[in-house]
């Protein structure tokens, strides 16, 4: 067997998805010490290109990686009526993994203490003075990477026990039409005109990239994913029968599964080992959104390490998670009508306030006002029930990245 070599750094980041790339980027930009980003080598285990979306009011935020943005948002209710809103000061943005990866790698290359290591990360364990990661390099050579801190974004083999668990699962097509079919200024976040499943909810999602190009997705919040054939059938119905697209071609497709769960994700799993991203609880339980929370947490971690602080912030506050636990249970039990619930939120709540609420950045007073616009009786009944429910372990889905 080839003998193992040893390397050292101050911070090791495991995984080249949204969370790993984001943390490495912010650590390098803030000069928080030497950073090694461990990414899967090229091959079948390396993820395909992915899409991440979020809203932001910072015009310079990740500008080199943003592929598209939208100044208006639309929701189609199940009754066919739509609500189109102006989210100012926010814009909704799309980041594709390839340009994002390119931007982060360039930042690490410019940093005197940053680098990308192509290797398969294995066991992580605490050692005196930090932690070490056993890595397999291309060709089979072994490497032990020692760091003062390790941040692990790799998917969990199983999810922590939860009272409620749904899945956000989806498949999307990048389509090109023969004629002008899309308004590039408006992103459709939820289109509930699609047939609804017997349990959970379903919606279409349209991100126009030009007048003749768009990412069109079919998404469900339910307990189990569909087969690829079922997603294809649902997308075919949505594009042709609901959007009215006739002459179009499909370029590439993307598919994913994201856990929506009130499980407690430990942010720290050793003296010097931390979890980030979905594995660390960054996915918002009620919506599946992850990217914005990852950015906030990555900036906060980088600032804390730069300033020599050991206390690192969680991705979401306790109050936001408590509200999400109630909403998840209400959706799972069918006590509230999911399509009507989300449509009414956009119809009755000022959009900037709603987006801040979905990001967990509203005050108690604002949240009280939003709560009064929801089905109060079913939500109160669920709030009383949730603390009494047992937590049960469940198998982790094969997760994709959040839309």
């Amino acid at each position: 067997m080839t003998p193992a070599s040893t390397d050292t750094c101050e911070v090791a980041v495991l995984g080249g998805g949204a969370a790993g790339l984001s943390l490495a980027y912010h650590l390098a930009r803030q000069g928080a010490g030497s950073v090694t980003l461990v990414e899967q080598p090229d091959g079948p285990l390396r993820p395909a290109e992915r899409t991440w979306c979020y809203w932001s009011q910072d015009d310079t935020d990740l500008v080199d990686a943003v592929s598209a943005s939208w100044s208006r948002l639309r929701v189609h209710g199940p009754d066919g009526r739509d609500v189109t809103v102006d989210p100012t000061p926010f814009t909704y943005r799309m980041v594709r993994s390839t340009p994002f990866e390119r931007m982060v790698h360039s930042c690490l290359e410019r940093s005197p203490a940053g680098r990308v290591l192509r290797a398969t990360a294995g066991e992580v364990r605490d050692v005196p003075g930090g932690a070490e990661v056993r890595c397999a390099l291309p060709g089979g050579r072994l490497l032990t990477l020692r760091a003062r801190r390790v941040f692990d974004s790799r998917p969990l083999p199983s999810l922590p026990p939860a009272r409620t668990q749904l899945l956000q699962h989806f498949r999307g097509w990048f389509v090109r039409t023969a004629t002008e079919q899309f308004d590039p200024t408006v992103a459709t976040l939820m289109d509930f005109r699609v047939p609804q499943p017997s349990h959970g909810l379903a919606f279409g999602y349209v991100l126009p990239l030009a007048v003749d190009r768009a990412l069109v997705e079919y998404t469900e919040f339910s307990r189990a994913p569909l087969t690829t054939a079922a997603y294809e059938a649902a997308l075919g119905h949505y594009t042709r029968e609901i959007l009215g697209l006739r002459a179009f071609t499909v370029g590439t497709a993307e598919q994913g599964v994201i856990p929506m769960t009130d499980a407690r994700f430990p942010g720290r799993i050793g003296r010097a080992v931390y979890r980030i991203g979905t594995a660390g609880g960054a996915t918002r339980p009620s919506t599946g959104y992850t990217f914005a929370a990852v950015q906030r947490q990555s900036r906060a971690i980088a600032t804390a390490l730069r300033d020599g602080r050991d206390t690192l912030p969680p991705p979401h506050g306790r109050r936001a998670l408590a509200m999400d636990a109630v909403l998840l249970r209400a959706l799972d039990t069918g006590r509230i009508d999911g399509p009507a619930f989300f449509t009414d939120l956009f119809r009755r709540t000022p959009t900037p306030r709603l987006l801040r609420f979905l990001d967990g950045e509203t005050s108690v007073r604002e949240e009280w006002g939003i709560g009064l616009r929801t089905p109060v009786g079913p939500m109160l009944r669920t709030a009383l029930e949730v603390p009494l429910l047992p937590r049960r372990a469940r198998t982790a889905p094969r997760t994709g990245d959040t839309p």
Side-chain angles (χ1 to χ4, degrees), residues 242-383:
I242 296 176
L243 296 181
L245 305 183
R246 297 300 176 190
F248 67 91
T249 57
V250 178
T252 57
E254 62 178 31
Q255 187 167 318
V257 183
I258 302 165
M260 300 173 65
T261 170
D262 65 355
R264 296 168 178 163
F265 291 82
R268 190 169 189 168
I269 56 173
R271 291 191 307 272
V273 184
Y274 306 81
R275 288 200 183 277
I276 56 173
T278 296
T283 297
R284 187 73 194 263
S286 62
T287 63
Y289 278 101
T290 308
F291 196 81
V294 161
Q295 301 312 308
R296 290 194 304 274
Q297 188 184 39
S298 295
R299 292 189 191 97
I301 290 173
T303 299
L305 296 188
R306 182 198 63 195
D307 296 343
R309 290 185 277 114
D310 282 332
T311 303
L312 304 181
H316 300 292
R318 291 183 179 180
R319 198 168 68 245
L321 292 178
M323 290 186 292
D324 281 355
V326 173
L327 177 54
L328 273 181
R329 178 67 179 175
L331 287 171
D332 192 38
T333 58
R335 288 189 188 128
I336 62 172
D337 181 325
F341 177 88
F342 285 107
T343 303
D344 286 346
L345 275 182
F346 276 88
R347 283 181 176 155
R348 299 175 180 178
T349 309
T351 307
R353 184 184 304 169
L354 177 57
L355 297 185
R356 288 190 295 105
F357 172 73
L358 295 175
D359 271 348
E361 296 186 332
T362 42
S363 65
V364 173
R365 181 178 179 180
E366 289 173 318
E367 290 159 5
W368 180 255
I370 292 172
L372 292 176
R373 295 180 173 92
T374 66
V376 175
M379 295 297 279
L380 282 176
R381 177 185 171 189
T382 306

Side-chain angles (χ1 to χ4, degrees), residues 13 15-28 37 52 62 100 104 276 291 294-295 298-299 302:
V13 180
L21 288 167
S22 298
L23 181 56
Y25 175 71
H26 290 292
L27 287 169
L37 173 62
W52 304 304
L62 306 180
F100 187 49
V104 175
I276 56 173
F291 196 81
V294 161
Q295 301 312 308
S298 295
R299 292 189 191 97

Side-chain angles (χ1 to χ4, degrees), residues 131-277:
E132 65 178 24
V133 186
R134 302 293 178 87
C135 300
L137 302 172
R141 189 165 62 90
L142 302 180
L143 171 70
T144 298
L145 180 63
R146 291 180 178 166
R148 289 183 60 192
R149 293 181 178 87
V150 173
F151 292 89
D152 192 346
S153 70
R154 295 173 297 172
L156 297 173
S158 61
L159 294 174
R163 295 167 296 203
T164 308
Q165 179 181 303
L166 295 176
L167 301 177
Q168 179 182 155
H169 50 99
F170 58 90
R171 183 172 174 84
W173 289 342
F174 283 88
V175 303
R176 182 183 291 272
T177 58
T179 58
E180 296 182 0
Q181 297 283 315
F182 304 107
D183 181 350
T185 68
V186 182
T188 298
L189 295 185
M190 291 179 165
D191 187 342
F192 292 112
R193 294 175 295 174
V194 300
Q196 294 299 310
S198 58
H199 184 273
L201 60 89
F203 56 89
Y205 178 63
V206 183
L207 301 181
L209 305 176
V211 293
D212 61 346
R213 291 186 298 116
L215 169 60
V216 181
E217 288 189 354
Y218 173 81
T219 301
E220 283 193 13
F221 292 179
S222 59
R223 293 177 181 172
L226 306 179
T227 64
T228 298
Y231 289 121
E232 290 283 294
L235 273 167
H237 177 267
Y238 180 55
T239 52
R240 295 181 178 90
E241 303 303 320
I242 296 176
L243 296 181
L245 305 183
R246 297 300 176 190
F248 67 91
T249 57
V250 178
T252 57
E254 62 178 31
Q255 187 167 318
V257 183
I258 302 165
M260 300 173 65
T261 170
D262 65 355
R264 296 168 178 163
F265 291 82
R268 190 169 189 168
I269 56 173
R271 291 191 307 272
V273 184
Y274 306 81
R275 288 200 183 277
I276 56 173

